[in-house]
Short mmCIF file of all heavy atoms in Angstrom, two decimals:
data_model
loop_
_atom_site.label_atom_id
_atom_site.label_comp_id
_atom_site.label_asym_id
_atom_site.label_seq_id
_atom_site.Cartn_x
_atom_site.Cartn_y
_atom_site.Cartn_z
N GLU A 1 32.83 -23.06 97.23
CA GLU A 1 31.54 -22.71 97.82
C GLU A 1 31.08 -23.87 98.69
O GLU A 1 31.37 -25.04 98.39
CB GLU A 1 30.48 -22.43 96.74
CG GLU A 1 30.80 -21.26 95.83
CD GLU A 1 30.56 -19.93 96.52
OE1 GLU A 1 29.96 -19.94 97.62
OE2 GLU A 1 30.95 -18.89 95.95
N ASN A 2 30.39 -23.55 99.77
CA ASN A 2 29.85 -24.60 100.64
C ASN A 2 28.38 -24.80 100.32
O ASN A 2 27.52 -24.04 100.76
CB ASN A 2 30.03 -24.21 102.11
CG ASN A 2 29.56 -25.31 103.04
OD1 ASN A 2 29.29 -26.44 102.62
ND2 ASN A 2 29.46 -25.00 104.33
N PHE A 3 28.10 -25.82 99.51
CA PHE A 3 26.73 -26.09 99.11
C PHE A 3 26.04 -27.12 100.00
O PHE A 3 24.90 -27.48 99.76
CB PHE A 3 26.69 -26.60 97.66
CG PHE A 3 27.07 -25.54 96.66
CD1 PHE A 3 27.73 -25.89 95.49
CD2 PHE A 3 26.74 -24.22 96.88
CE1 PHE A 3 28.06 -24.92 94.56
CE2 PHE A 3 27.08 -23.23 95.95
CZ PHE A 3 27.75 -23.59 94.80
N GLU A 4 26.73 -27.61 100.99
CA GLU A 4 26.12 -28.63 101.85
C GLU A 4 25.15 -28.03 102.85
O GLU A 4 24.41 -28.74 103.53
CB GLU A 4 27.22 -29.40 102.60
CG GLU A 4 28.20 -30.11 101.68
CD GLU A 4 27.52 -31.16 100.82
OE1 GLU A 4 26.57 -31.79 101.31
OE2 GLU A 4 27.95 -31.35 99.66
N ASP A 5 25.13 -26.70 102.98
CA ASP A 5 24.27 -26.07 103.97
C ASP A 5 22.85 -25.83 103.48
O ASP A 5 21.98 -25.44 104.24
CB ASP A 5 24.87 -24.72 104.41
CG ASP A 5 26.17 -24.90 105.17
OD1 ASP A 5 26.37 -25.99 105.72
OD2 ASP A 5 26.98 -23.97 105.17
N PHE A 6 22.61 -26.04 102.19
CA PHE A 6 21.29 -25.77 101.63
C PHE A 6 20.37 -26.98 101.83
O PHE A 6 19.89 -27.59 100.87
CB PHE A 6 21.39 -25.42 100.15
CG PHE A 6 22.08 -24.12 99.88
CD1 PHE A 6 23.39 -24.10 99.42
CD2 PHE A 6 21.43 -22.92 100.10
CE1 PHE A 6 24.03 -22.90 99.18
CE2 PHE A 6 22.07 -21.71 99.86
CZ PHE A 6 23.38 -21.70 99.40
N GLY A 7 20.12 -27.32 103.07
CA GLY A 7 19.27 -28.45 103.37
C GLY A 7 18.65 -28.33 104.74
O GLY A 7 19.11 -27.56 105.59
N SER A 8 17.57 -29.09 104.94
CA SER A 8 16.88 -29.05 106.23
C SER A 8 16.30 -30.43 106.53
O SER A 8 15.69 -31.06 105.66
CB SER A 8 15.76 -28.00 106.20
OG SER A 8 15.00 -28.04 107.39
N ILE A 9 16.52 -30.89 107.75
CA ILE A 9 15.95 -32.15 108.22
C ILE A 9 15.14 -31.84 109.48
O ILE A 9 15.68 -31.26 110.43
CB ILE A 9 17.04 -33.19 108.54
CG1 ILE A 9 17.83 -33.53 107.27
CG2 ILE A 9 16.42 -34.45 109.12
CD1 ILE A 9 18.98 -34.48 107.51
N TYR A 10 13.89 -32.18 109.48
CA TYR A 10 13.05 -31.88 110.63
C TYR A 10 11.96 -32.93 110.80
O TYR A 10 11.70 -33.74 109.91
CB TYR A 10 12.42 -30.49 110.50
CG TYR A 10 11.53 -30.30 109.29
CD1 TYR A 10 10.18 -30.62 109.33
CD2 TYR A 10 12.05 -29.78 108.11
CE1 TYR A 10 9.37 -30.44 108.22
CE2 TYR A 10 11.25 -29.59 107.00
CZ TYR A 10 9.91 -29.92 107.06
OH TYR A 10 9.11 -29.74 105.97
N TYR A 11 11.32 -32.92 111.98
CA TYR A 11 10.24 -33.85 112.31
C TYR A 11 8.97 -33.05 112.57
O TYR A 11 9.01 -31.96 113.14
CB TYR A 11 10.61 -34.68 113.54
CG TYR A 11 11.81 -35.58 113.32
CD1 TYR A 11 13.09 -35.12 113.56
CD2 TYR A 11 11.65 -36.88 112.86
CE1 TYR A 11 14.20 -35.93 113.33
CE2 TYR A 11 12.74 -37.70 112.64
CZ TYR A 11 14.01 -37.22 112.89
OH TYR A 11 15.10 -38.02 112.67
N SER A 12 7.86 -33.62 112.17
CA SER A 12 6.58 -32.94 112.31
C SER A 12 5.57 -33.88 112.96
O SER A 12 5.55 -35.08 112.67
CB SER A 12 6.06 -32.49 110.93
OG SER A 12 4.76 -31.96 111.03
N LEU A 13 4.73 -33.33 113.83
CA LEU A 13 3.70 -34.10 114.53
C LEU A 13 2.31 -33.64 114.12
O LEU A 13 2.07 -32.44 113.95
CB LEU A 13 3.86 -33.96 116.05
CG LEU A 13 5.20 -34.42 116.64
CD1 LEU A 13 5.23 -34.13 118.13
CD2 LEU A 13 5.44 -35.90 116.37
N SER A 14 1.40 -34.59 113.96
CA SER A 14 0.03 -34.27 113.55
C SER A 14 -0.94 -35.16 114.31
O SER A 14 -0.58 -36.23 114.81
CB SER A 14 -0.15 -34.49 112.04
OG SER A 14 0.83 -33.78 111.31
N SER A 15 -2.18 -34.72 114.39
CA SER A 15 -3.22 -35.50 115.06
C SER A 15 -4.58 -35.15 114.46
O SER A 15 -4.75 -34.11 113.83
CB SER A 15 -3.24 -35.22 116.57
OG SER A 15 -3.60 -33.88 116.83
N GLY A 16 -5.54 -36.04 114.66
CA GLY A 16 -6.87 -35.79 114.13
C GLY A 16 -7.91 -36.68 114.77
O GLY A 16 -7.59 -37.70 115.40
N ILE A 17 -9.17 -36.29 114.61
CA ILE A 17 -10.30 -37.06 115.13
C ILE A 17 -11.36 -37.11 114.04
O ILE A 17 -11.51 -36.17 113.25
CB ILE A 17 -10.85 -36.42 116.43
CG1 ILE A 17 -11.88 -37.34 117.07
CG2 ILE A 17 -11.41 -35.04 116.18
CD1 ILE A 17 -12.26 -36.91 118.47
N TYR A 18 -12.10 -38.22 113.98
CA TYR A 18 -13.01 -38.46 112.86
C TYR A 18 -14.24 -39.20 113.37
O TYR A 18 -14.14 -40.17 114.12
CB TYR A 18 -12.29 -39.30 111.81
CG TYR A 18 -12.98 -39.43 110.49
CD1 TYR A 18 -12.79 -38.50 109.48
CD2 TYR A 18 -13.81 -40.52 110.23
CE1 TYR A 18 -13.41 -38.64 108.25
CE2 TYR A 18 -14.44 -40.67 109.00
CZ TYR A 18 -14.23 -39.72 108.01
OH TYR A 18 -14.84 -39.86 106.80
N LEU A 19 -15.41 -38.74 112.95
CA LEU A 19 -16.69 -39.33 113.35
C LEU A 19 -17.43 -39.81 112.12
O LEU A 19 -17.57 -39.07 111.14
CB LEU A 19 -17.54 -38.32 114.12
CG LEU A 19 -18.94 -38.79 114.54
CD1 LEU A 19 -18.85 -39.94 115.55
CD2 LEU A 19 -19.74 -37.62 115.12
N LYS A 20 -17.92 -41.03 112.17
CA LYS A 20 -18.67 -41.60 111.06
C LYS A 20 -19.86 -42.37 111.62
O LYS A 20 -19.73 -43.09 112.62
CB LYS A 20 -17.77 -42.55 110.26
CG LYS A 20 -18.45 -43.18 109.06
CD LYS A 20 -17.47 -44.05 108.29
CE LYS A 20 -18.13 -44.66 107.06
NZ LYS A 20 -17.18 -45.50 106.28
N GLY A 21 -21.03 -42.18 110.99
CA GLY A 21 -22.19 -42.86 111.53
C GLY A 21 -23.41 -42.75 110.63
O GLY A 21 -23.33 -42.34 109.47
N THR A 22 -24.56 -43.10 111.21
CA THR A 22 -25.85 -43.06 110.53
C THR A 22 -26.84 -42.33 111.41
O THR A 22 -26.93 -42.60 112.61
CB THR A 22 -26.36 -44.48 110.22
OG1 THR A 22 -25.37 -45.18 109.45
CG2 THR A 22 -27.67 -44.45 109.46
N ASP A 23 -27.60 -41.38 110.83
CA ASP A 23 -28.54 -40.59 111.62
C ASP A 23 -29.89 -41.29 111.75
O ASP A 23 -30.07 -42.45 111.32
CB ASP A 23 -28.70 -39.19 111.03
CG ASP A 23 -29.27 -39.21 109.62
OD1 ASP A 23 -29.79 -40.26 109.19
OD2 ASP A 23 -29.21 -38.18 108.93
N LEU A 24 -30.86 -40.58 112.33
CA LEU A 24 -32.18 -41.16 112.58
C LEU A 24 -32.95 -41.43 111.29
O LEU A 24 -33.91 -42.21 111.29
CB LEU A 24 -32.99 -40.21 113.47
CG LEU A 24 -32.41 -39.97 114.88
CD1 LEU A 24 -33.27 -38.97 115.64
CD2 LEU A 24 -32.30 -41.29 115.64
N LEU A 25 -32.56 -40.78 110.19
CA LEU A 25 -33.20 -41.01 108.90
C LEU A 25 -32.51 -42.11 108.11
O LEU A 25 -32.80 -42.31 106.92
CB LEU A 25 -33.20 -39.72 108.07
CG LEU A 25 -33.95 -38.52 108.70
CD1 LEU A 25 -33.80 -37.29 107.80
CD2 LEU A 25 -35.42 -38.86 108.93
N ASN A 26 -31.59 -42.80 108.77
CA ASN A 26 -30.82 -43.89 108.16
C ASN A 26 -29.92 -43.38 107.03
O ASN A 26 -29.66 -44.10 106.06
CB ASN A 26 -31.74 -45.00 107.66
CG ASN A 26 -31.00 -46.33 107.49
OD1 ASN A 26 -30.05 -46.61 108.22
ND2 ASN A 26 -31.44 -47.12 106.54
N LYS A 27 -29.45 -42.14 107.16
CA LYS A 27 -28.53 -41.55 106.21
C LYS A 27 -27.12 -41.52 106.82
O LYS A 27 -26.96 -41.12 107.98
CB LYS A 27 -28.96 -40.12 105.85
CG LYS A 27 -30.37 -40.01 105.28
CD LYS A 27 -30.47 -40.66 103.90
CE LYS A 27 -31.84 -40.40 103.30
NZ LYS A 27 -31.99 -41.03 101.96
N LYS A 28 -26.13 -41.90 106.04
CA LYS A 28 -24.76 -41.92 106.52
C LYS A 28 -24.15 -40.52 106.48
O LYS A 28 -24.48 -39.71 105.62
CB LYS A 28 -23.91 -42.87 105.67
CG LYS A 28 -24.35 -44.32 105.75
CD LYS A 28 -23.47 -45.19 104.87
CE LYS A 28 -23.91 -46.65 104.92
NZ LYS A 28 -23.08 -47.51 104.03
N TYR A 29 -23.24 -40.26 107.40
CA TYR A 29 -22.54 -38.99 107.46
C TYR A 29 -21.12 -39.22 107.96
O TYR A 29 -20.81 -40.25 108.56
CB TYR A 29 -23.26 -37.99 108.37
CG TYR A 29 -23.30 -38.42 109.81
CD1 TYR A 29 -22.27 -38.08 110.70
CD2 TYR A 29 -24.36 -39.17 110.31
CE1 TYR A 29 -22.29 -38.48 112.02
CE2 TYR A 29 -24.39 -39.58 111.63
CZ TYR A 29 -23.35 -39.23 112.48
OH TYR A 29 -23.38 -39.64 113.79
N PHE A 30 -20.26 -38.23 107.73
CA PHE A 30 -18.90 -38.28 108.27
C PHE A 30 -18.40 -36.86 108.47
O PHE A 30 -18.79 -35.94 107.75
CB PHE A 30 -17.95 -39.06 107.34
CG PHE A 30 -17.78 -38.45 105.98
CD1 PHE A 30 -16.77 -37.52 105.74
CD2 PHE A 30 -18.61 -38.81 104.93
CE1 PHE A 30 -16.60 -36.95 104.48
CE2 PHE A 30 -18.44 -38.25 103.67
CZ PHE A 30 -17.44 -37.32 103.44
N MET A 31 -17.54 -36.68 109.45
CA MET A 31 -16.93 -35.39 109.72
C MET A 31 -15.63 -35.60 110.49
O MET A 31 -15.47 -36.58 111.22
CB MET A 31 -17.88 -34.49 110.53
CG MET A 31 -18.26 -35.04 111.89
SD MET A 31 -19.47 -33.99 112.74
CE MET A 31 -20.92 -34.31 111.72
N GLY A 32 -14.70 -34.69 110.29
CA GLY A 32 -13.42 -34.82 110.97
C GLY A 32 -12.69 -33.50 111.04
O GLY A 32 -12.96 -32.57 110.27
#
């Protein structure tokens, strides 16, 4: 039996953006 074929090699790309700060009430927030 050929068991060497039961495999996968691949590359994946990801990206993201993130905002962190303090509002007018001096309360911290974050979102992404």
Side-chain angles (χ1 to χ4, degrees):
E1 298 284 350
N2 184 11
F3 291 147
E4 300 298 326
D5 293 336
F6 293 103
S8 175
I9 298 176
Y10 60 88
Y11 297 88
S12 174
L13 301 177
S14 306
S15 65
I17 188 169
Y18 190 88
L19 177 65
K20 181 178 182 179
T22 303
D23 62 14
L24 297 178
L25 299 177
N26 201 31
K27 303 291 186 181
K28 296 179 181 179
Y29 64 89
F30 62 90
M31 61 184 70

